[in-house]
Amino acid sequence: VGHCIDLRGVVVPLFDIDQILKNQTNARVSNEDIAMIFSVRDQLIGLVVKDILHTQQIVIKPLTNGIHSQRGWIGSCV
């Protein structure tokens, strides 16, 4: 059983970056941790991190000029 949070009525599973990167074997998620929320294939997931060093707002725009037909690309930002 993993950790999760209730985000505006949606249950979001949490994944610890230290466990994913194998930096810590007994990582524990607490109420003091920071979680970055991502939408992956219409599913919300939370990535628990130690700290956020810098923030930046970006706008993702659809790709043009033939790149949009290549597999693995969904958008770009400047």
Side-chain angles (χ1 to χ4, degrees):
V1 177
H3 295 279
C4 62
I5 59 171
D6 182 331
L7 180 65
R8 297 182 205 110
V10 177
V11 177
V12 179
L14 296 176
F15 300 92
D16 190 299
I17 189 72
D18 282 335
Q19 282 186 320
I20 293 170
L21 298 176
K22 309 262 189 263
N23 289 339
Q24 203 173 17
T25 56
N26 59 352
R28 292 188 180 149
V29 177
S30 75
N31 289 338
E32 302 298 319
D33 288 331
I34 299 169
M36 299 179 3
I37 307 299
F38 297 92
S39 177
V40 178
R41 296 185 181 159
D42 296 325
Q43 170 70 40
L44 291 178
I45 63 167
L47 185 62
V48 177
V49 297
K50 291 181 187 269
D51 199 3
I52 297 176
L53 302 178
H54 177 74
T55 62
Q56 182 176 358
Q57 292 185 11
I58 61 170
V59 176
I60 298 176
K61 298 186 176 202
L63 294 171
T64 57
N65 301 331
I67 296 175
H68 65 278
S69 62
Q70 295 197 13
R71 184 177 168 96
W73 295 89
I74 60 168
S76 65
C77 66
V78 184

